Amino acid sequence: MKLTELTDFLDEYLSIAVIEDKSLNGLQVEGHPEVHKVALATDACLETFLKAASLRADFLLTHHGIFWGTQFAIKGIHAERIKTLISNGISLYAVHLPLDLHPEIGNNVELIKLLGFEVAEPFGIYHGVAIGYTGRRKRPVSYSSILNKLQKELGVKPKGYQFGTDRIKTIAVISGGGASMIEQVTGKEIDLFLTGESDHVSYHLAKELQVNIVYSGHYATETLGIRSLGRVIEEKFGLETVFIDVPTGM
């Protein structure tokens, strides 16, 4: 299919202009005008680009791109990255916050469903837009069972602090680096806050708010949305997709 057809679909489906974002969301590097194979990854980095080339992908879709709103010279590692993409005819498309907040296949709704909760309502206001979600279930589950589920499904050992109830019925989820937004649980009936990266300040906020907090890794919490987006592309266009796993352990 034509590159422009795929990017037009993604721009609309992901509503890439819906929120102010440091990421340059959308097509960042233009490659071959025809797309036959789509690679997906969490991070745009040289290792990912080389693997995409070895898989003969001509379109790479990532959550974290290479352009983040600041100017830089195309030299050194930046030149090597872009050279690798262009020389292999690979287009790079990035989608950051619009993928986190997507109501159908976003990182946060996928984490909520993974844990066996029903998606309830948007949560976590950033530049006037909610980027996370809350989840609820009728019957509570134990705090430890949530940690065990995360470790089993995401392949990382989460770090948690139990400052609240052991019987979890409501959760708030902001993937990646959302720890600083824990204060937004104030006044809400939230039993557990789940995010990716740990943050020193959020420890004390969680303790004083008496809410459980779990850090399950920036990378690990941001693989689900991009995988789901790959399935959407497969079903709609019949394109072959492949996920490139380059875990950071962070």
Side-chain angles (χ1 to χ4, degrees):
M1 68 179 298
K2 292 188 179 301
L3 172 64
T4 53
E5 183 182 356
L6 180 56
T7 56
D8 285 349
F9 165 76
L10 291 171
D11 289 351
E12 181 178 357
Y13 180 71
L14 296 166
S15 301
I16 62 170
V18 74
I19 186 172
E20 182 179 341
D21 197 343
K22 291 181 180 179
S23 170
L24 176 62
N25 294 315
L27 186 64
Q28 293 194 343
V29 177
E30 184 175 344
H32 198 277
E34 295 286 334
V35 177
H36 302 284
K37 186 174 184 179
V38 176
L40 305 108
T42 299
D43 298 321
C45 60
L46 187 58
E47 182 177 356
T48 299
F49 299 165
L50 291 171
K51 287 185 176 181
S54 70
L55 292 166
R56 298 186 180 279
D58 36 38
F59 189 89
L60 175 61
L61 208 168
T62 68
H63 181 48
H64 301 132
I66 57 176
F67 295 112
W68 292 89
T70 56
Q71 295 180 345
F72 58 85
I74 307 300
K75 61 182 182 180
I77 189 59
H78 302 298
E80 188 65 23
R81 286 175 166 183
I82 293 174
K83 187 190 305 179
T84 300
L85 290 170
I86 292 176
S87 64
N88 288 282
I90 301 172
S91 295
L92 174 65
Y93 188 104
V95 56
H96 185 229
L97 293 180
L99 182 60
D100 290 328
L101 61 82
H102 198 278
E104 297 173 359
I105 51 90
N107 286 316
N108 297 311
V109 297
E110 291 291 350
L111 283 165
I112 289 171
K113 291 184 286 187
L114 178 80
L115 292 172
F117 287 71
E118 293 183 0
V119 178
E121 58 189 26
F123 169 84
I125 303 300
Y126 178 82
H127 288 296
V129 178
I131 61 173
Y133 282 89
T134 61
R136 292 192 178 93
R137 57 180 298 138
K138 293 181 180 179
R139 294 186 177 182
V141 292
S142 68
Y143 169 81
S144 61
S145 71
I146 288 182
L147 268 63
N148 291 337
K149 181 74 170 179
L150 287 168
Q151 183 168 355
K152 178 182 178 182
E153 299 295 339
L154 299 183
V156 297
K157 186 175 182 179
K159 179 68 174 178
Y161 295 94
Q162 189 174 358
F163 295 134
T165 179
D166 183 59
R167 309 303 291 168
I168 312 300
K169 292 180 68 175
T170 57
I171 60 175
V173 180
I174 300 180
S175 65
S180 63
M181 303 183 78
I182 188 174
E183 198 167 357
Q184 294 193 38
V185 306
T186 303
K188 297 179 172 64
E189 295 182 357
I190 301 297
D191 298 324
L192 183 144
F193 179 80
L194 170 63
T195 188
E197 286 185 27
S198 60
D199 175 86
H200 188 74
V201 174
S202 64
Y203 171 92
H204 293 289
L205 288 171
K207 189 174 184 179
E208 292 163 22
L209 289 166
Q210 297 182 325
V211 62
N212 301 305
I213 188 166
V214 176
Y215 310 101
S216 203
H218 195 134
Y219 179 87
T221 59
E222 298 200 322
T223 60
L224 301 179
I226 205 78
R227 288 178 185 269
S228 294
L229 184 54
R231 290 191 287 271
V232 170
I233 292 171
E234 283 185 352
E235 292 170 4
K236 184 170 181 63
F237 299 109
L239 288 170
E240 180 183 359
T241 70
V242 58
F243 179 74
I244 298 174
D245 194 19
V246 184
T248 63
M250 300 173 66

